Amino acid sequence: MAPPPDAPFLAACRNRPADRIPVWFMRQAGRSLPEYRRLRGTGSILDAVRDPELAAEVTLQPVRRYGVDAAILYSDIVVPVAALGFGVDIAPGVGPVVERPFGTEADLDRLRPLDPEADCPYVAETVRRVVAGLGDVPLIGFAGAPFTVASYLVEGGPSRTLGRTKALMLGRPDLWARLLDRLADIAVASLRSQVVAGASAVQLFDSWAGTLAPDLYERHVLPASAKVFAGLADLGVPGIHFGVDTGELLPLLAKAGADVVGVDWRVPLDEARRRLGPDVAVQGNLDPAVCLAPWPAVAAQVRAVLDRNGGRPGHVFNLGHGVLPETDPGVLERVVELVHAREGPR
């Protein structure tokens, strides 16, 4: 059963009033849940993603426990490029690592067009299984934004400075543009497949965009991210654009074509809304570390986020980044209850 268009999450994404403020958490299906740890055991997350039965169950777990207003597909931003055989793996405690990093024109040949049905059919199968189990709760599909995926391919792994990435961007802008264009096509193919299988919204994760100055982002990154959103426009599903430490980039994230812009905790929500204007919905923005504090402090911070939104429509409550592994799930349950208790915008 497809969720109704006036489901609180979908209404908020479209900047419309809803009967309650919707809430979900990035990384809600993850290491903070004991049921997740029991089910996952050890091994690569890529192996878990390739198991639709397991991936679907992990996606559904936080919806059952927390009563959130949306599920987020259990997957990873490097799944498509890994499926293409680029030599990407996810090292425990490290993140994505690449056997042979991207560096020359010849490496473009390692990024052929993605055929989701042939290359990663398990993703669509997981989506179908999740949708069958969600009822009227929407599922969010997702992909890595071209810039963030490119940074892993170029650096060979996580990097705080993205030195090699920026060197390629500025030293070989022609090659850089072709790389991002190819990754945009891969993201579009992946997201379209997820929507066709039943996802009701999509989120584009640009986790490392905040390392860029606005002029570099606008010139070297925005066109590829805009291509992703444009490639989904005919499907009619809301698109969310999220990055970390992107306060100076918020209007540009919206300019890429997103219906909703994710805001981390570094920018107050009322200030973020001022920068974005009235036509863009927002998602966020409780500091994930706050959830480790005693409950009265957590509740005060949740109310502060809600107060800064000022009762306006178009607010999806979330954290400003992912749930920390050491978070007590009971705290998140109480956060959901508190947000839902606040009267929805009219």
Side-chain angles (χ1 to χ4, degrees):
M1 179 177 65
D6 61 349
F9 169 76
L10 296 177
C13 285
R14 295 186 171 102
N15 219 4
R16 299 172 185 164
D19 59 4
R20 67 170 180 257
I21 300 168
V23 54
W24 70 279
F25 305 111
M26 287 180 281
R27 294 184 187 160
Q28 64 187 14
R31 290 170 291 172
S32 66
L33 289 176
E35 56 264 43
Y36 168 84
R37 294 194 296 269
R38 287 194 298 268
L39 183 65
R40 267 276 285 119
T42 58
S44 170
I45 184 177
L46 293 180
D47 291 333
V49 168
R50 295 181 186 115
D51 181 341
E53 182 177 2
L54 187 154
E57 173 60 21
V58 170
T59 302
L60 291 166
Q61 284 177 346
V63 180
R64 299 192 196 107
R65 177 184 276 264
Y66 300 134
V68 287
D69 296 284
I72 180 78
L73 181 68
Y74 181 74
S75 190
D76 192 270
I77 65 171
V78 299
V79 164
V81 289
L84 292 177
F86 197 86
V88 181
D89 199 359
I90 300 177
V94 177
V97 292
V98 181
E99 183 180 353
R100 288 190 297 126
F102 183 98
T104 68
E105 296 272 356
D107 290 321
L108 288 171
D109 294 334
R110 299 163 59 197
L111 291 169
R112 60 171 173 80
L114 178 73
D115 180 349
E117 291 186 10
D119 296 320
C120 47
Y122 41 84
V123 174
E125 176 60 23
T126 299
V127 171
R128 287 188 287 268
R129 288 172 179 249
V130 170
V131 170
L134 279 175
D136 60 358
V137 177
L139 172 66
I140 306 168
F142 77 88
F147 172 74
T148 290
V149 177
S151 74
Y152 286 116
L153 301 188
V154 173
E155 301 288 339
S159 167
R160 292 189 178 276
T161 63
L162 299 187
R164 293 179 61 178
T165 302
K166 294 178 183 179
L168 179 65
M169 175 193 299
L170 298 173
R172 289 291 312 275
D174 54 335
L175 178 57
W176 172 259
R178 293 176 66 191
L179 169 60
L180 259 63
D181 189 67
R182 193 145 312 181
L183 291 173
D185 288 340
I186 290 170
V188 168
S190 176
L191 290 171
R192 289 188 71 89
S193 174
Q194 293 174 49
V195 173
V196 168
S200 298
V202 297
Q203 176 157 311
L204 194 66
F205 283 87
D206 212 349
S207 307
W208 295 107
T211 64
L212 296 173
D215 62 327
L216 290 184
Y217 178 89
E218 185 166 23
R219 186 181 313 123
H220 296 288
V221 176
L222 178 59
S225 292
K227 184 178 184 180
V228 175
F229 286 109
L232 305 171
D234 64 302
L235 298 177
V237 299
I240 308 168
H241 204 176
F242 172 75
V244 182
D245 204 10
T246 51
E248 297 302 316
L249 303 179
L250 291 176
L252 295 174
L253 295 181
K255 185 178 178 180
D259 302 286
V260 186
V261 172
V263 184
D264 76 8
W265 65 95
R266 297 171 180 87
V267 180
L269 201 63
D270 51 350
E271 172 60 16
R273 299 209 78 152
R274 186 192 69 78
R275 296 181 189 184
L276 288 164
D279 298 328
V280 181
V282 294
Q283 179 174 278
N285 68 337
L286 184 70
D287 183 346
V290 164
C291 295
L292 306 182
W295 172 248
V298 178
Q301 291 300 308
V302 170
R303 293 189 186 100
V305 171
L306 297 172
D307 290 344
R308 285 188 179 277
N309 184 59
R312 286 172 287 187
H315 177 212
V316 178
F317 188 94
N318 206 316
L319 304 182
H321 201 192
V323 173
L324 298 175
E326 59 268 39
T327 304
D328 178 357
V331 170
L332 297 183
E333 291 178 31
R334 298 181 73 176
V335 169
V336 173
E337 292 172 359
L338 182 57
V339 174
H340 283 170
R342 180 73 67 101
E343 183 179 356
R346 299 292 176 184

